[in-house]
Amino acid sequence: MTQSIEDHAATAADAHFDLAHTVAEDEIDAQQHVHNLRYLQWTLWAAGRHTESIGWDAKAALARGLGWVVREHSIQYRGAALAGDEIIVRTWVHDLQRFASRRKYVIFRPADRTVLAKVETRWVFVDLNQHKALPIPEEAKEHLVVCPTPPPLPWESARS
């Protein structure tokens, strides 16, 4: 059974979300590492799964002509992922403004404690029919936990 956004109470556990992924052969480019656009795709998957996990029903919003669109991406590549790597895409909501939200991500390979990329996306809530930014609805704000400080990586001690 799918949980609606009204049935879900936001908790500290919702502050960040981890998407596990195994790098597939078809994600490798001519330089024998993951193509840069795949990192972006992984962040989009993680963002969608995170909001879904806290009860946001993107399909219902879309049926009402509402949704989140990307205004800006920033990616800092720090290491290369290879076929077969087990990676984690960690995401959290860094801030909420009236019309937009900034979401951050860190993509890492736990096996050797390597940070592969740091990503930031500015999302804007829009009326998809009128192509107009709208204030973020209270129902969305109530369930998104803002995490202004990056959550520690699994091998780091918890920050106080």
Side-chain angles (χ1 to χ4, degrees):
M1 180 175 160
T2 303
Q3 191 177 35
S4 75
I5 198 162
E6 290 80 20
D7 296 334
H8 182 84
T11 66
D14 297 324
H16 75 270
F17 180 85
D18 286 347
L19 174 73
H21 179 70
T22 302
V23 177
E25 288 288 339
D26 67 355
E27 295 178 299
I28 304 302
D29 65 14
Q31 296 175 350
Q32 300 309 303
H33 58 72
V34 169
H35 190 276
N36 61 330
L37 292 177
R38 292 301 185 146
Y39 290 86
L40 186 58
Q41 181 65 63
W42 298 337
T43 64
L44 296 174
W45 290 344
R49 290 274 187 74
H50 185 204
T51 55
E52 179 183 295
S53 77
I54 59 171
W56 179 255
D57 187 343
K59 287 182 183 177
L62 187 59
R64 295 189 330 247
L66 304 172
W68 293 96
V69 298
V70 172
R71 176 65 53 95
E72 176 182 355
H73 286 298
S74 171
I75 303 175
Q76 178 187 48
Y77 299 99
R78 300 172 54 109
L82 307 171
D85 282 353
E86 301 287 335
I87 61 144
I88 301 291
V89 181
R90 175 165 289 176
T91 185
W92 62 96
V93 175
H94 179 74
D95 64 30
L96 283 173
Q97 296 140 15
R98 183 167 182 217
F99 296 96
S101 173
R102 211 164 12 141
R103 180 179 280 280
K104 293 192 175 188
Y105 314 78
V106 61
I107 302 171
F108 59 93
R109 185 174 45 230
D112 62 359
R113 298 180 174 187
T114 298
V115 172
L116 303 171
K118 292 184 176 184
V119 184
E120 183 175 307
T121 301
R122 185 166 177 252
W123 292 89
V124 176
F125 196 78
V126 298
D127 178 319
L128 298 167
N129 297 317
Q130 296 182 12
H131 308 286
K132 178 181 171 185
L134 298 174
I136 298 171
E138 288 304 315
E139 70 180 61
K141 287 182 184 179
E142 290 171 6
H143 301 283
L144 290 170
V145 176
V146 174
C147 184
T149 305
L153 296 172
W155 56 86
E156 297 173 337
S157 61
R159 297 179 182 156
S160 42

